[in-house]
Amino acid sequence: MYPTPIQFDPNHRRTGTFLSEVAHPYAEFEKAGYQIGFASLTGESPFLDALHLADDPDNLKFLTGKGWQDMHNAGKLSDVNIDDYDAVFVPGGIAPMADMPEAPELKKVIARFYETGRVVGAVCHDPVSLLNVKLSDGSYIVNGKNITSFTTAEEDNYARPDVPFDLQTALTEQGAIFHAAEQWTANSIADGNIVTGQNPASAKGVGEKIVALLEAKRVN
């Protein structure tokens, strides 16, 4: 699941999905032998940020292999039979901050995955996909959960003028127990069937934790 390509910051910088935040988890899912499907809110062709990191082995493999091709062939989320999948993962980038805080279809999908015991994962800016997700009892999905995302401190030193609100603050206001590690260091957290990561360095760990949860369910 990835965001719509979009321009919304003051400098009209085009943004989308941060390369390593999709490529590194993808590598973990592929290594574990899982079938991987892509979807977006609109079905539009994706845009990747951080192509300067293409020499990273997992990033390069994603770009030159099946991952990038499959991502380009993705359909709309509303057309996907979500009952065919055991986990949903949403990679980050700045774009999700614009089109994922209130996306009704996405919120329904995440709530359904969570309430049917399936895995929900997100990294960096994309725990915004968990924001405003309400469960059938009316509570916010993040309420009382151990969660991380791109932090206030990281945003202040990265893209503060480009984002419409502060993600750490918004998640905390909905009851998340927020865990911030040192800026730009790897930090991924699993709380039940929710897995979140703080920044690009955390994407691999998110992938590993999602795989671990899926493997544990397979054994049980």
Side-chain angles (χ1 to χ4, degrees):
M1 175 69 217
Y2 59 85
T4 305
I6 197 164
Q7 294 181 358
F8 70 98
D9 65 272
N11 298 314
H12 302 291
R13 179 182 65 193
R14 192 179 185 203
T15 186
T17 301
F18 199 88
L19 172 58
S20 59
E21 292 172 18
V22 62
H24 287 191
Y26 183 93
E28 298 305 312
F29 304 151
E30 188 176 49
K31 188 164 52 178
Y34 294 128
Q35 179 181 340
I36 305 165
F38 286 93
S40 74
L41 297 180
T42 64
E44 293 179 62
S45 183
F47 177 81
L48 288 180
D49 285 335
L51 288 174
H52 64 283
L53 301 176
D55 57 349
D56 169 274
D58 285 340
N59 290 349
L60 184 61
K61 185 177 180 182
F62 180 84
L63 288 170
T64 59
K66 194 168 181 288
W68 183 226
Q69 178 183 346
D70 286 351
M71 196 172 178
H72 265 292
N73 294 330
K76 290 179 66 174
L77 178 61
S78 58
D79 295 333
V80 174
N81 182 359
I82 64 170
D83 293 331
D84 290 341
Y85 293 91
D86 297 310
V88 58
F89 167 70
V90 196
I94 299 176
M97 293 291 289
D99 70 351
M100 290 189 175
E102 302 288 349
E105 183 70 23
L106 177 61
K107 306 305 170 178
K108 286 193 301 183
V109 166
I110 289 175
R112 181 161 179 181
F113 267 81
Y114 178 79
E115 293 193 311
T116 54
R118 290 177 285 172
V119 180
V120 176
V123 66
C124 199
H125 284 93
D126 216 81
V128 72
S129 63
L130 304 176
L131 199 65
N132 300 316
V133 173
K134 285 192 173 182
L135 304 177
S136 52
D137 65 0
S139 66
Y140 287 115
I141 191 173
V142 298
N143 187 37
K145 304 294 193 307
N146 294 292
I147 296 288
T148 191
S149 75
F150 206 56
T151 66
T152 299
E154 287 168 323
E155 201 73 271
D156 286 343
N157 293 306
Y158 179 64
R160 174 60 62 207
D162 303 340
V163 295
F165 60 91
D166 185 74
L167 182 55
Q168 177 179 341
T169 299
L171 290 166
T172 302
E173 286 175 347
Q174 292 191 357
I177 303 168
F178 198 90
H179 296 263
E182 189 70 25
Q183 293 182 51
W184 303 104
T185 60
N187 178 30
S188 55
I189 297 172
D191 188 339
N193 55 327
I194 298 177
V195 182
T196 50
Q198 180 171 322
N199 49 37
S202 311
K204 178 179 173 65
V206 170
E208 290 172 338
K209 285 180 171 62
I210 289 174
V211 168
L213 286 172
L214 291 173
E215 291 300 302
K217 290 176 183 293
R218 180 183 292 180
V219 170
N220 296 331

